[in-house]
Amino acid sequence: MANHLIQKLESRFALTDSDKTALVSLTSNTRTIEPRATLILEASVSENVHIIQRGIACRYKILPDGTRAIFAYLIPGDICDLNMPLFGGIDHSISTFGACEVAIVRREILDDCIATHPTLGRALRWAASLDEAILREWVVRKRRPSAEKQAAHLFCELLVRLGLVGLTSRNSFDWPITQADFADTLGLSGVHVNRTLQKLRGTGLIEIRSKRVSIPDPQALQTYAGFNSNYLNSSYFRA
Amino acid sequence: MANHLIQKLESRFALTDSDKTALVSLTSNTRTIEPRATLILEASVSENVHIIQRGIACRYKILPDGTRAIFAYLIPGDICDLNMPLFGGIDHSISTFGACEVAIVRREILDDCIATHPTLGRALRWAASLDEAILREWVVRKRRPSAEKQAAHLFCELLVRLGLVGLTSRNSFDWPITQADFADTLGLSGVHVNRTLQKLRGTGLIEIRSKRVSIPDPQALQTYAGFNSNYLNSSYFRA
DNA sequence: CGTCGATTTGAAATCTATCAACGATGGTGG
DNA sequence: CCACCATCGTTGATAGATTTCAAATCGACG
């Protein structure tokens, strides 16, 4: 099975065989997590680092009124808690959408690995910077003029990110996310998300069938959404 | 003059005299930036790291329709571009609100300093994690039910952050930010921000006079906003 | 006093939430 | 195979929040 983290890092760094071997052995201990299960709970402290290997998870907080605010999607190759040890405990929770496979790595083993593989250290810091850039764009996305463009923008992001780790085929990708989940992601009501998706499908910019999203014309969707992929540090749309 | 970065780091780390001396000498080369000036331009690459010493700046992007989306405030003690070198160029711009004083540090000198002062290295990584936690909360803030609560929440954050670096007195702080700036920050129209602030002032939760914000009863504002300061890794509201 | 930027106000148009109900779908057990 | 259940998706109607446009007021400052 492809190692998505390696694939991600190799998109920007020349990893040696030693680097890759180290990463493979790091991610050898995996666990399968059920759909809609909590992977990491707010305020918890862990000796381990978690790396998504399969499926999609999300970072979220529960607001005082009980609503769930999702502010990040974690896809294969993403690391859940690389920089958490400096804090007393994580300030948010992480749950799965569909079933996920997660690699569990002792933090000290990862630290050793970084110490002996400098390129890997730089690559992982780059990955952390990338997560931060993505987070910035999640703030900016909400400023787009319409719910349609916000949704379109997120689909663009996911197409690039999933493509980077080899999880797209013919501009389509698995979609385990319900409209209610998507509403908590975009900060809209479920009803409005439903109508928004209908409009987007009506224009032909996206198709959603049997838990899979297709984007017939990525260029058109990008133009519609005003999507600029620079923040992803990728050349996906600049070919 | 107080060194706000030292004050921030000391809120959580026991810095040695050597650590502090190193930080002071790092921040000795400062430059004054005019109000509403661009400090760092999108896509630029710099040999230097910039640290805010006085005034408030912001990170922002310009959307396709020309609007400005602000997604971070940088206050004294904040570092503008610590983790940027791994990217080709920064993916956003930074501008000042009022006049700012900024310390300019050669990146390699900072790196050397971190290498020889391990505690400083950990402290700066903590500061970076804190910036990320703040960014997460800026996504979550937009999910609050009303514009009033969103604004109240941001005022709570600023009270804590500015307090942490010694820039509050009697629960008030300088406010160089216009309503138009604030609108670009909250993602609301200027007109609506005006009415939102009027309502907040009407309740007595905040006062704004001559470029200064006062919060007569922080506990009341916190309760109103549903503000939880955990993400700031601070005990401000937990006394 | 005049000017410029910033704040404030009013009214209409648009977007989004809420509430309540209905329909589709897939899985499960009888 | 069918009835049943739970989850998800869809629809209509109404209320509420926010934007937009345009104009008036305020305040600092030369």
Short mmCIF file of all heavy atoms in Angstrom, two decimals, chain C residues 8-21:
data_model
loop_
_atom_site.label_atom_id
_atom_site.label_comp_id
_atom_site.label_asym_id
_atom_site.label_seq_id
_atom_site.Cartn_x
_atom_site.Cartn_y
_atom_site.Cartn_z
P DT C 8 -19.87 55.45 15.72
OP1 DT C 8 -20.04 55.89 17.14
OP2 DT C 8 -19.61 54.05 15.40
"O5'" DT C 8 -21.17 55.92 14.92
"C5'" DT C 8 -21.60 57.25 14.99
"C4'" DT C 8 -22.75 57.50 14.04
"O4'" DT C 8 -22.29 57.36 12.68
"C3'" DT C 8 -23.94 56.54 14.16
"O3'" DT C 8 -25.05 57.30 14.64
"C2'" DT C 8 -24.17 56.01 12.74
"C1'" DT C 8 -23.41 57.02 11.90
N1 DT C 8 -22.88 56.55 10.59
C2 DT C 8 -23.41 57.07 9.43
O2 DT C 8 -24.29 57.91 9.41
N3 DT C 8 -22.85 56.58 8.27
C4 DT C 8 -21.85 55.62 8.17
O4 DT C 8 -21.43 55.27 7.08
C5 DT C 8 -21.34 55.12 9.42
C7 DT C 8 -20.25 54.09 9.42
C6 DT C 8 -21.88 55.59 10.55
P DT C 9 -26.37 56.58 15.14
OP1 DT C 9 -26.95 57.44 16.20
OP2 DT C 9 -26.06 55.17 15.40
"O5'" DT C 9 -27.30 56.65 13.84
"C5'" DT C 9 -27.53 57.89 13.21
"C4'" DT C 9 -28.29 57.70 11.92
"O4'" DT C 9 -27.38 57.29 10.87
"C3'" DT C 9 -29.39 56.62 11.94
"O3'" DT C 9 -30.64 57.27 11.91
"C2'" DT C 9 -29.13 55.77 10.69
"C1'" DT C 9 -28.11 56.58 9.92
N1 DT C 9 -27.12 55.78 9.15
C2 DT C 9 -27.03 55.96 7.79
O2 DT C 9 -27.73 56.73 7.17
N3 DT C 9 -26.06 55.18 7.18
C4 DT C 9 -25.22 54.28 7.80
O4 DT C 9 -24.40 53.64 7.15
C5 DT C 9 -25.37 54.14 9.21
C7 DT C 9 -24.51 53.18 9.97
C6 DT C 9 -26.30 54.89 9.83
P DG C 10 -32.02 56.57 11.94
OP1 DG C 10 -32.97 57.59 12.41
OP2 DG C 10 -31.86 55.30 12.67
"O5'" DG C 10 -32.36 56.22 10.42
"C5'" DG C 10 -32.37 57.27 9.46
"C4'" DG C 10 -32.84 56.75 8.11
"O4'" DG C 10 -31.72 56.18 7.39
"C3'" DG C 10 -33.91 55.66 8.17
"O3'" DG C 10 -34.96 56.02 7.26
"C2'" DG C 10 -33.18 54.39 7.73
"C1'" DG C 10 -32.06 54.92 6.87
N9 DG C 10 -30.83 54.14 6.89
C8 DG C 10 -30.19 53.64 8.00
N7 DG C 10 -29.09 53.01 7.72
C5 DG C 10 -28.99 53.08 6.33
C6 DG C 10 -28.00 52.57 5.46
O6 DG C 10 -26.99 51.93 5.74
N1 DG C 10 -28.29 52.87 4.12
C2 DG C 10 -29.38 53.58 3.70
N2 DG C 10 -29.48 53.78 2.40
N3 DG C 10 -30.31 54.07 4.51
C4 DG C 10 -30.05 53.78 5.81
P DA C 11 -36.27 55.17 7.09
OP1 DA C 11 -37.34 56.13 6.76
OP2 DA C 11 -36.41 54.23 8.23
"O5'" DA C 11 -35.95 54.31 5.79
"C5'" DA C 11 -35.45 54.97 4.62
"C4'" DA C 11 -35.27 53.96 3.51
"O4'" DA C 11 -33.98 53.31 3.66
"C3'" DA C 11 -36.32 52.85 3.52
"O3'" DA C 11 -36.73 52.59 2.19
"C2'" DA C 11 -35.58 51.65 4.12
"C1'" DA C 11 -34.16 51.90 3.62
N9 DA C 11 -33.13 51.32 4.47
C8 DA C 11 -33.16 51.14 5.83
N7 DA C 11 -32.07 50.58 6.32
C5 DA C 11 -31.28 50.38 5.20
C6 DA C 11 -30.00 49.83 5.04
N6 DA C 11 -29.26 49.37 6.06
N1 DA C 11 -29.48 49.79 3.79
C2 DA C 11 -30.22 50.26 2.76
N3 DA C 11 -31.44 50.80 2.80
C4 DA C 11 -31.91 50.83 4.05
P DA C 12 -37.88 51.46 1.89
OP1 DA C 12 -38.92 52.14 1.13
OP2 DA C 12 -38.22 50.70 3.12
"O5'" DA C 12 -37.10 50.48 0.90
"C5'" DA C 12 -36.24 51.04 -0.10
"C4'" DA C 12 -35.35 49.96 -0.67
"O4'" DA C 12 -34.35 49.60 0.31
"C3'" DA C 12 -36.09 48.67 -1.02
"O3'" DA C 12 -35.69 48.26 -2.32
"C2'" DA C 12 -35.66 47.68 0.06
"C1'" DA C 12 -34.30 48.20 0.46
N9 DA C 12 -33.94 47.93 1.84
C8 DA C 12 -34.72 48.08 2.96
N7 DA C 12 -34.12 47.76 4.07
C5 DA C 12 -32.86 47.37 3.67
C6 DA C 12 -31.74 46.91 4.38
N6 DA C 12 -31.71 46.77 5.70
N1 DA C 12 -30.62 46.62 3.67
C2 DA C 12 -30.66 46.76 2.34
N3 DA C 12 -31.65 47.18 1.55
C4 DA C 12 -32.72 47.47 2.30
P DA C 13 -36.26 46.88 -2.98
OP1 DA C 13 -36.53 47.18 -4.40
OP2 DA C 13 -37.30 46.32 -2.10
"O5'" DA C 13 -34.98 45.92 -2.93
"C5'" DA C 13 -33.73 46.40 -3.43
"C4'" DA C 13 -32.67 45.36 -3.19
"O4'" DA C 13 -32.37 45.31 -1.77
"C3'" DA C 13 -33.07 43.93 -3.60
"O3'" DA C 13 -31.98 43.32 -4.27
"C2'" DA C 13 -33.38 43.25 -2.26
"C1'" DA C 13 -32.42 43.97 -1.32
N9 DA C 13 -32.84 44.01 0.08
C8 DA C 13 -34.07 44.36 0.58
N7 DA C 13 -34.15 44.31 1.89
C5 DA C 13 -32.88 43.89 2.28
C6 DA C 13 -32.32 43.65 3.54
N6 DA C 13 -32.99 43.79 4.69
N1 DA C 13 -31.03 43.25 3.58
C2 DA C 13 -30.36 43.11 2.43
N3 DA C 13 -30.79 43.31 1.18
C4 DA C 13 -32.07 43.71 1.18
P DT C 14 -32.15 41.83 -4.88
OP1 DT C 14 -31.48 41.84 -6.19
OP2 DT C 14 -33.56 41.40 -4.72
"O5'" DT C 14 -31.27 40.95 -3.88
"C5'" DT C 14 -29.95 41.38 -3.54
"C4'" DT C 14 -29.43 40.50 -2.43
"O4'" DT C 14 -30.13 40.81 -1.20
"C3'" DT C 14 -29.63 39.00 -2.66
"O3'" DT C 14 -28.36 38.40 -2.72
"C2'" DT C 14 -30.47 38.53 -1.48
"C1'" DT C 14 -30.21 39.62 -0.45
N1 DT C 14 -31.27 39.84 0.57
C2 DT C 14 -30.94 39.76 1.91
O2 DT C 14 -29.81 39.50 2.30
N3 DT C 14 -31.97 40.00 2.77
C4 DT C 14 -33.28 40.30 2.44
O4 DT C 14 -34.11 40.50 3.31
C5 DT C 14 -33.56 40.37 1.03
C7 DT C 14 -34.95 40.68 0.56
C6 DT C 14 -32.55 40.14 0.17
P DC C 15 -28.21 36.82 -3.03
OP1 DC C 15 -27.05 36.62 -3.91
OP2 DC C 15 -29.53 36.23 -3.39
"O5'" DC C 15 -27.83 36.29 -1.58
"C5'" DC C 15 -26.90 37.05 -0.79
"C4'" DC C 15 -26.90 36.52 0.62
"O4'" DC C 15 -28.10 36.93 1.31
"C3'" DC C 15 -26.82 35.00 0.72
"O3'" DC C 15 -25.77 34.68 1.61
"C2'" DC C 15 -28.22 34.60 1.24
"C1'" DC C 15 -28.62 35.83 2.03
N1 DC C 15 -30.09 36.09 2.19
C2 DC C 15 -30.62 36.30 3.47
O2 DC C 15 -29.88 36.25 4.45
N3 DC C 15 -31.95 36.56 3.60
C4 DC C 15 -32.72 36.61 2.52
N4 DC C 15 -34.03 36.88 2.71
C5 DC C 15 -32.21 36.40 1.20
C6 DC C 15 -30.90 36.14 1.09
P DT C 16 -25.29 33.19 1.81
OP1 DT C 16 -23.87 33.24 2.17
OP2 DT C 16 -25.75 32.36 0.68
"O5'" DT C 16 -26.11 32.76 3.11
"C5'" DT C 16 -25.88 33.47 4.32
"C4'" DT C 16 -26.83 32.99 5.39
"O4'" DT C 16 -28.17 33.44 5.08
"C3'" DT C 16 -26.93 31.47 5.54
"O3'" DT C 16 -26.45 31.13 6.83
"C2'" DT C 16 -28.42 31.14 5.34
"C1'" DT C 16 -29.08 32.50 5.59
N1 DT C 16 -30.37 32.72 4.89
C2 DT C 16 -31.47 33.06 5.64
O2 DT C 16 -31.45 33.18 6.85
N3 DT C 16 -32.62 33.26 4.92
C4 DT C 16 -32.77 33.16 3.54
O4 DT C 16 -33.87 33.36 3.01
C5 DT C 16 -31.58 32.80 2.81
C7 DT C 16 -31.64 32.65 1.31
C6 DT C 16 -30.44 32.60 3.51
P DA C 17 -26.77 29.71 7.49
OP1 DA C 17 -25.65 29.46 8.42
OP2 DA C 17 -27.11 28.73 6.46
"O5'" DA C 17 -28.06 30.02 8.36
"C5'" DA C 17 -28.01 31.03 9.35
"C4'" DA C 17 -29.21 30.96 10.27
"O4'" DA C 17 -30.41 31.29 9.52
"C3'" DA C 17 -29.46 29.60 10.90
"O3'" DA C 17 -29.80 29.78 12.27
"C2'" DA C 17 -30.62 29.01 10.09
"C1'" DA C 17 -31.34 30.24 9.59
N9 DA C 17 -31.87 30.08 8.22
C8 DA C 17 -31.18 29.69 7.10
N7 DA C 17 -31.90 29.66 6.01
C5 DA C 17 -33.15 30.07 6.43
C6 DA C 17 -34.36 30.25 5.74
N6 DA C 17 -34.51 30.04 4.43
N1 DA C 17 -35.43 30.67 6.46
C2 DA C 17 -35.27 30.89 7.77
N3 DA C 17 -34.19 30.76 8.53
C4 DA C 17 -33.15 30.34 7.79
P DT C 18 -30.06 28.50 13.19
OP1 DT C 18 -29.64 28.91 14.54
OP2 DT C 18 -29.48 27.32 12.53
"O5'" DT C 18 -31.64 28.32 13.18
"C5'" DT C 18 -32.47 29.46 13.35
"C4'" DT C 18 -33.92 29.07 13.15
"O4'" DT C 18 -34.22 29.03 11.74
"C3'" DT C 18 -34.29 27.69 13.70
"O3'" DT C 18 -35.35 27.85 14.64
"C2'" DT C 18 -34.73 26.89 12.47
"C1'" DT C 18 -35.12 27.98 11.49
N1 DT C 18 -34.97 27.67 10.05
C2 DT C 18 -36.04 27.91 9.20
O2 DT C 18 -37.09 28.37 9.58
N3 DT C 18 -35.80 27.59 7.88
C4 DT C 18 -34.64 27.07 7.34
O4 DT C 18 -34.54 26.84 6.14
C5 DT C 18 -33.57 26.83 8.29
C7 DT C 18 -32.27 26.28 7.80
C6 DT C 18 -33.79 27.14 9.58
P DC C 19 -35.77 26.65 15.62
OP1 DC C 19 -36.17 27.29 16.89
OP2 DC C 19 -34.75 25.60 15.59
"O5'" DC C 19 -37.08 26.11 14.90
"C5'" DC C 19 -38.07 27.03 14.47
"C4'" DC C 19 -39.10 26.33 13.61
"O4'" DC C 19 -38.63 26.26 12.25
"C3'" DC C 19 -39.39 24.89 14.04
"O3'" DC C 19 -40.79 24.74 14.22
"C2'" DC C 19 -38.85 24.03 12.90
"C1'" DC C 19 -38.98 25.01 11.73
N1 DC C 19 -38.07 24.73 10.59
C2 DC C 19 -38.55 24.92 9.28
O2 DC C 19 -39.70 25.31 9.11
N3 DC C 19 -37.72 24.66 8.23
C4 DC C 19 -36.47 24.24 8.47
N4 DC C 19 -35.70 24.01 7.41
C5 DC C 19 -35.97 24.04 9.78
C6 DC C 19 -36.79 24.30 10.81
P DA C 20 -41.41 23.43 14.91
OP1 DA C 20 -42.39 23.94 15.89
OP2 DA C 20 -40.32 22.53 15.32
"O5'" DA C 20 -42.19 22.74 13.71
"C5'" DA C 20 -42.68 23.52 12.62
"C4'" DA C 20 -42.94 22.61 11.44
"O4'" DA C 20 -41.81 22.64 10.53
"C3'" DA C 20 -43.13 21.14 11.83
"O3'" DA C 20 -44.29 20.63 11.19
"C2'" DA C 20 -41.87 20.48 11.36
"C1'" DA C 20 -41.53 21.33 10.13
N9 DA C 20 -40.13 21.26 9.74
C8 DA C 20 -39.03 21.09 10.52
N7 DA C 20 -37.89 21.03 9.86
C5 DA C 20 -38.27 21.16 8.55
C6 DA C 20 -37.55 21.18 7.34
N6 DA C 20 -36.23 21.06 7.28
N1 DA C 20 -38.25 21.33 6.20
C2 DA C 20 -39.58 21.45 6.25
N3 DA C 20 -40.37 21.46 7.32
C4 DA C 20 -39.65 21.30 8.44
P DA C 21 -44.86 19.18 11.57
OP1 DA C 21 -46.26 19.36 11.98
OP2 DA C 21 -43.91 18.49 12.46
"O5'" DA C 21 -44.84 18.43 10.16
"C5'" DA C 21 -45.23 19.15 9.00
"C4'" DA C 21 -44.50 18.61 7.81
"O4'" DA C 21 -43.08 18.86 7.95
"C3'" DA C 21 -44.63 17.09 7.62
"O3'" DA C 21 -45.46 16.84 6.50
"C2'" DA C 21 -43.19 16.62 7.37
"C1'" DA C 21 -42.42 17.90 7.15
N9 DA C 21 -41.02 17.84 7.54
C8 DA C 21 -40.50 17.73 8.79
N7 DA C 21 -39.18 17.70 8.83
C5 DA C 21 -38.82 17.79 7.50
C6 DA C 21 -37.58 17.81 6.85
N6 DA C 21 -36.41 17.72 7.50
N1 DA C 21 -37.57 17.92 5.49
C2 DA C 21 -38.75 18.00 4.85
N3 DA C 21 -39.98 18.00 5.35
C4 DA C 21 -39.95 17.88 6.69
#
